[in-house]
Amino acid sequence: MDANIYLPNLARVIFVKEEVPGERAIKTFHVEFIDSAGFAHECGQCAMLSVFGRGESMISIASSPLVDGYKQFSIMRAGRVTSAFHDLEVGDVIGIRGPYGNSFPIDAWRGKNLVFIGGGCGLAPIWPVIQTAVKKRDEFKQITVFYGGRSSRDIMYRTELDKLRETAEVHLSVDKQEEGWQEFCGFVPANLMNKEPSPENAIAITCGPPVMIKFVIQNLRSLGFQDNQIYTTLENKMKCALGKCGRCNVGKDYVCTKGPVYSWADLKELPPEY
Amino acid sequence: MEKILNKIQLSDWIAALDGWESFAPILQDGIWSYQPIKRGVNSVQLEYPNTTQPPKNFTFPQREVFFTFEQIKGEAPRLTQILPTDKPRVIFGVRPCDGQALPRMDRLFNEQFADIYYQKRRENLAYVGLACNTPPSRNCFCKAVGGSPFATNGLDILMTDLGDRYLVTAVTAIGDRLIDHGVQLFSEPTGRDRAEAGQLRIAALKQPQRAIQESATVPKRLKEQFASPLWEELARPCIGCGICTYLCPTCHCFDINDEVATPAPLRGSRIRTWDTCQFPDFTMHSSGHNPRTEVGARLRQRINHKLQYFYENFGMFQCTGCGRCISGCPVGIDIIAVVNQVTATPEN
Amino acid sequence: MIKLQDIKNRARELLANGEVRAVIGYRNGSRGMAAEPAVIADPNDAANIVWNPSCVHNLALYLVDDRKRLTRKQETPTKPIAIMAKGCDARAIVVLLQENYFKREDVYILGVSCETTGMLDEHKLEQLKIRPDQFTAVEFDGDDFVLIKDAETQQRFPAREIMADRCLECRNPFPKLNNAVFGEEKARNLAAPFSALMQFEQNATQNTRWDFWQHQFERCIRCSACRSVCPMCYCEECIVDSITYSVMPDTTAEEKANRIRWIERSATRANNIGYHLTRALHLAGRCIDCGECERVCPVRIPLRLLNTKLERDARERFGYEPGASVEVASFVSSFRDNDPGNFIR
């Protein structure tokens, strides 16, 4: 039978954790495939998750490709479909299709220093790269992670980030002054300038709100990072994930197929419509 | 193969096409549209300009049900895919600009991920084209975008109107089969027939059409003018409807939604519908962030996609020059005028 | 007869002396004889203004567009915007003023009277085997004729043969609300009001009417042009587009999640019936019969029949005439003690 690219497979929710409470809640889900062998993925790729009756959302796969048995997704409650995700419980079955998009060229980064800069829910799309680098620790040099949220409550993967300090430098921040907060206070791009990571033999990978990415890239360049040393992953409204419905079209690219991972060298060639 | 068919026998040929559902342009409710031809009931004639809507619906309908879902809370949902089961269809009177749409749609729908809904409809579809001895519309510009009034791309047969008869030229094996079905109705073309067709073709190519200035360099010049303030100025009258997109033979943007019939137990369908980059909220994120808030950016997107981005990806213009967007636009926004003005170099 | 030069002069003057920030008017289009809407900011461009039987567009739509644009850019203009308004367009402006969409001093109305000849209907030309896109110009010719020209020839038509139905039925071709007016107030008695509607009702029984409408609604491709072209359909969040909506920075996920999809986007007969009938009901007492919705429909659904039916009901049952006067309250937001109530059971 010919494959139907629009027909999802099914996956069961086996784990739910509230990362961030409140209005801009983030929940982490682990799902396991139930009606198929599932698919392998590479760092940076995404999947279309369905809550039938509500719709589909394109979500980055947050687990490393080296993890077997489940896929991890961290989803912020933003609208109609993502609210439905937040109502899911362990045992619920959702639709899943993928993997979609291109991936971070992690093989080409062996032997390099990796600098990760994330904000808000933007830590999730770059998390698989961090996890893969940690699992294959000897293949990479220095790992540095900059990550911040509006307040300490908005910081996701708290436990994992603390554990990460064993093998990487982790610099957290909150946007505004907060009682009991010991680390940097200010926006993530400012924290970056505060610590001044070296561009020497380094790759910078950033993801977060559009305005954060803009200033992070600016700051990285001022620190001496070249355009091909800077990587990001784009967020667009997406519906098909297959390069056909036109919604994520930016310049000649459909971001769902040619992206969402872009080096700044490539991204600056596209019209600024994202 | 190439044959001659007398015009008065066109309906007989259609009647002989067993196993095919035939469509032809009919003037109904004030517009020309492709309607099913009931054998022996309708008599078909092809003296017509062009249909209001292109034959896009045959491969890419306004509403396509992907699958149905049924879910009882706590259990896994049951998905049942709904694939098209059309009988083979043959469309008569397709103009070359509409035929040209198929190679474009084929590339898009098969690129990287093959779309089974498009494929199933496409493999059951045949086009019997009609060459344009004269341009059907003052807004025709097929030549400016690499087409021609006698082009055969996407067609299975091209018919040339020789007054009281057609020169029927098969382009594909399916075209041969269609002719075979009515073989007794056809006769061999004479030298005179062929000469007449040749002359009509030469005359057709000389007919004035609207022109895009220096169309060969349009992709490059559009890229250079991305930031031009003319986009916003020329798009100012745009009302943000979907006419240009929905009447376009190659526009393919779509939306996917779940339509719920009953909430508990949950029953519904996942449905694809036409959509357009001209709707103000097409690119809007859940957060409210919209990369294209202004009408100039949206007009630029549609035109760039047709004449620059698609060209960069596939080496051909996505626009086939049918002119429907120009004739159909309620406020007269004219793709040719816009492109010529935005990309005007001082010498033009 | 209107002297076009008078309109051009006035427009240029208003722009040159800084009294208005732009003039919404008509200029020649690029695709044949039809005029197109234009927003003119440069006094020199006032020379491009045209006035002819193809000036069909209801420019009040661009007042709504202008207001939305200003809101998006968070600008507060210090000067009004000028607009060429026919009788119907001026009535649309009255409705927008009744509904407080903008203030009277925000708009400078250059009223243009259609006098005895209204706007032409391109579809009627087609029925006479005239292809509108083959011609390059159209003009008023005296009181009762229209001249259609191309490079070599010209044809003269009695205006009433090619006039739009809504112009034939029009009782108010003179823009009563104005800051300046061009042309005289002349009566027009070419067809009874609601003629097209009465003709339709005569030719159909109740059952065949429903068959007719089901057939029409099946043909709708949901391009939304009818809604997009209507000045009164200005809602940012329309009942039809429950899947998209205006999103403010403080709109919560829950609000987005809980919006009901009253009518789906797919073009089924049921959804299309919902769309068209809801839209017609939301225009009851507000539609001033500019006829644009019917003109722009690519598949020629006779939408005026829906709107004029409700307009007739408003007139006959409630004595209400949309767009007659700014002083009168809007139809659905007011009542009189003697309003008919026999339908309330």
Side-chain angles (χ1 to χ4, degrees), chain B residues 29-30 52 62-63 136-138 232 236-237 242 255 259 273 275 281 284 286 294 326 329-331 334, chain C residues 30-31 61-62 69 72 131 133 215 219 222-223 228 244-245 256 261 265-268 295-296 298 300:
Chain B
D29 296 304
T52 295
Q62 201 277 354
R63 180 180 200 262
S137 159
R138 187 181 174 275
E232 188 61 32
R236 193 69 193 263
D255 197 0
E259 291 184 10
T273 59
D275 206 343
D281 48 41
M284 192 176 75
S286 269
E294 298 310 310
I326 303 174
C329 177
V331 295
D334 177 342
Chain C
S30 55
R31 56 171 189 180
L61 175 69
Y62 295 100
R69 191 177 283 262
R72 261 197 320 273
R131 295 252 308 281
D133 60 5
H215 170 67
R219 300 173 55 237
R222 299 289 292 281
C223 68
S228 300
T244 56
Y245 34 72
K256 295 174 206 168
R261 294 196 178 184
R265 189 168 266 198
S266 62
T268 60
R295 175 185 74 87
V296 305
R300 311 267 178 101

Side-chain angles (χ1 to χ4, degrees), chain C residues 247-262:
Chain C
V247 175
M248 298 293 135
D250 58 356
T251 309
T252 64
E254 205 163 331
E255 283 175 329
K256 295 174 206 168
N258 291 335
R259 273 180 231 239
I260 302 174
R261 294 196 178 184
W262 299 108

Side-chain angles (χ1 to χ4, degrees), chain A:
Chain A
M1 195 181 74
D2 295 321
N4 186 338
I5 55 180
Y6 300 101
L7 190 67
N9 287 118
L10 299 178
R12 179 179 297 115
V13 176
I14 58 173
F15 172 80
V16 181
K17 175 175 175 222
E18 186 181 72
E19 300 280 349
V20 169
E23 178 49 40
R24 301 165 60 80
I26 300 176
K27 279 191 180 176
T28 294
F29 302 87
H30 291 176
V31 305
E32 64 176 9
F33 294 92
I34 60 174
D35 71 341
S36 66
F39 52 77
H41 75 278
E42 290 176 27
C43 296
Q45 291 193 302
C46 313
M48 267 292 197
L49 303 179
S50 292
V51 173
F52 296 104
R54 272 301 174 94
E56 275 185 315
S57 267
M58 182 82 137
I59 311 282
S60 297
I61 304 173
S63 45
S64 163
L66 301 170
V67 166
D68 247 335
Y70 67 85
K71 301 273 185 231
Q72 176 170 320
F73 299 94
S74 290
I75 304 178
M76 178 184 280
R77 187 178 62 174
R80 193 185 150 79
V81 180
T82 48
S83 292
F85 284 126
H86 274 236
D87 288 340
L88 292 172
E89 292 165 354
V90 170
D92 283 340
V93 177
I94 60 172
I96 181 168
R97 55 184 179 95
Y100 296 124
N102 64 351
S103 54
F104 292 101
I106 198 171
D107 287 338
W109 297 342
R110 286 209 188 90
K112 292 193 187 287
N113 301 317
L114 301 179
V115 181
F116 298 91
I117 309 115
C121 201
L123 186 59
I126 60 180
W127 192 247
V129 189
I130 298 175
Q131 289 297 294
T132 305
V134 163
K135 282 198 201 293
K136 297 187 171 185
R137 192 65 187 85
D138 308 329
E139 292 184 21
F140 302 92
K141 292 243 163 31
Q142 168 96 328
I143 298 177
T144 317
V145 175
F146 290 88
Y147 175 60
R150 289 170 183 218
S151 71
S152 59
R153 267 179 17 141
D154 294 297
I155 291 186
M156 59 188 283
Y157 295 169
R158 204 53 194 278
T159 326
E160 292 87 339
L161 284 167
D162 283 335
K163 182 152 192 305
L164 195 55
R165 292 181 201 272
E166 292 168 14
T167 170
E169 252 182 58
V170 177
H171 304 293
L172 301 181
S173 61
V174 294
D175 288 356
K176 285 204 285 276
Q177 199 54 262
E178 195 180 299
E179 198 180 310
W181 182 256
Q182 309 284 22
E183 295 198 55
F184 187 81
C185 184
F187 294 127
V188 169
N191 197 6
L192 182 67
M193 292 313 274
N194 185 262
K195 309 291 190 291
E196 289 188 341
S198 163
E200 185 71 34
N201 191 33
I203 298 285
I205 302 114
T206 179
C207 183
V211 67
M212 187 208 90
I213 294 184
K214 178 174 145 188
F215 284 112
V216 162
I217 293 182
Q218 220 173 72
N219 289 353
L220 285 169
R221 293 180 76 230
S222 75
L223 287 171
F225 280 79
Q226 299 301 304
D227 293 344
N228 58 6
Q229 286 177 273
I230 303 173
Y231 278 78
T232 187
T233 165
L234 287 185
E235 187 183 76
N236 285 72
K237 182 81 184 273
M238 292 178 181
K239 279 275 178 157
C240 71
L242 305 157
K244 298 185 197 313
C245 80
R247 209 168 282 264
C248 67
N249 178 224
V250 179
K252 63 171 177 46
D253 287 359
Y254 287 114
V255 173
C256 61
T257 52
K258 288 289 188 301
V261 173
Y262 281 94
S263 68
W264 179 240
D266 289 335
L267 187 55
K268 67 179 189 188
E269 299 303 315
L270 289 182
E273 289 188 318
Y274 45 83

Side-chain angles (χ1 to χ4, degrees), chain B residues 28-31 49 52-53 57 62-63 135-139 210 232-243 246-247 255 257-260 271-276 279 281 284-289 293-295 298 325-334 337, chain C residues 27 29-32 35-39 56-57 61-62 65-66 69 72-73 81 126 131-136 212 215-216 219-229 241 243-249 256 261 264-268 271 292 295-300:
Chain B
Q28 196 178 81
D29 296 304
I31 58 169
T52 295
Q53 284 192 75
N57 246 316
Q62 201 277 354
R63 180 180 200 262
S137 159
R138 187 181 174 275
N139 294 317
R210 296 197 59 194
E232 188 61 32
E233 196 184 301
L234 295 170
R236 193 69 193 263
C238 174
I239 64 176
C241 68
I243 286 180
Y246 289 7
L247 298 193
D255 197 0
N257 286 298
D258 285 3
E259 291 184 10
V260 174
I271 306 223
R272 167 168 70 193
T273 59
W274 288 353
D275 206 343
T276 167
F279 286 152
D281 48 41
M284 192 176 75
H285 296 201
S286 269
S287 62
H289 169 63
T293 49
E294 298 310 310
V295 75
R298 295 193 287 271
C325 58
I326 303 174
S327 308
C329 177
V331 295
I333 296 192
D334 177 342
Chain C
R27 68 170 170 224
S30 55
R31 56 171 189 180
E36 65 183 26
V39 180
V56 297
H57 317 83
L61 175 69
Y62 295 100
D65 178 69
D66 179 60
R69 191 177 283 262
R72 261 197 320 273
K73 301 191 178 186
I81 189 165
E126 282 167 19
R131 295 252 308 281
D133 60 5
Q134 306 288 53
F135 291 85
T136 49
F212 173 86
H215 170 67
Q216 292 300 333
R219 300 173 55 237
C220 173
I221 60 175
R222 299 289 292 281
C223 68
S224 307
C226 48
R227 178 185 61 170
S228 300
V229 85
D241 282 342
I243 37 183
T244 56
Y245 34 72
S246 33
V247 175
M248 298 293 135
K256 295 174 206 168
R261 294 196 178 184
E264 301 285 2
R265 189 168 266 198
S266 62
T268 60
N271 282 327
E292 280 287 87
R295 175 185 74 87
V296 305
C297 178
V299 295
R300 311 267 178 101

